[in-house]
Amino acid sequence: MERSPVGLHQAACLVDGIHTEVVINRFEDANSIMVTQTKRIGSMYRVTRDGLGESEKPSFTVTNLLGGVEDPTTDVFVRQLALALSSSTEAMAPQVIVWLSLQTKTPAAMKSIVQFVQSVCGK
């Protein structure tokens, strides 16, 4: 039997007492991650990886595609999710699509979500 070209991970946890769902899909040309606390898709962002240059850590460009407001805190969070996802794969897809629908956006909650994504990805 041939292996499926799609990698799928789904998990849930409590973040600040709020049920949080995470769904990760991996394809050859793109990855997607959905984080929801509202049972809705929410805002959509595209994250593209910039050249590595001399830095060991990659940099990312975040583009708001649907919904959401331009917010530096959300941009940092979306970059952290992309980094968590890319650190767990040998070859990162050229782009990551991130769907966010959060009730809480505190730094502690965002850190917990990133750590949870890393554990879901097996990092």
Side-chain angles (χ1 to χ4, degrees):
M1 179 178 237
E2 194 172 318
R3 185 175 165 224
S4 170
V6 178
L8 174 67
H9 300 279
Q10 182 175 0
C13 68
L14 289 177
V15 175
D16 288 348
I18 300 169
H19 182 79
T20 305
E21 292 277 340
V22 173
V23 179
I24 300 167
N25 289 299
R26 293 187 176 152
F27 303 90
E28 271 188 36
D29 61 342
N31 293 323
S32 72
I33 180 168
M34 179 189 303
V35 180
T36 183
Q37 295 176 325
T38 64
K39 299 182 182 179
R40 296 184 178 165
I41 294 175
S43 302
M44 180 173 141
Y45 303 87
R46 179 179 57 224
V47 183
T48 52
R49 186 175 182 162
D50 300 330
L52 285 174
E54 295 180 17
S55 172
E56 288 184 16
K57 287 193 173 187
S59 61
F60 300 96
T61 299
V62 176
T63 306
N64 186 343
L65 298 176
L66 179 67
V69 230
E70 296 296 326
D71 173 27
T73 303
T74 301
D75 281 359
V76 169
F77 179 53
V78 169
R79 280 187 180 91
Q80 289 297 314
L81 287 172
L83 184 59
L85 193 58
S86 69
S87 296
S88 66
T89 60
E90 291 176 14
M92 181 183 161
Q95 65 180 342
V96 177
I97 303 298
V98 179
W99 298 89
L100 288 181
S101 184
L102 303 175
Q103 290 181 9
T104 180
K105 293 183 180 180
T106 65
M110 292 181 178
K111 182 177 179 180
S112 295
I113 292 169
V114 169
Q115 289 172 342
F116 183 64
V117 167
Q118 289 171 333
S119 71
V120 169
C121 292
K123 182 182 172 206

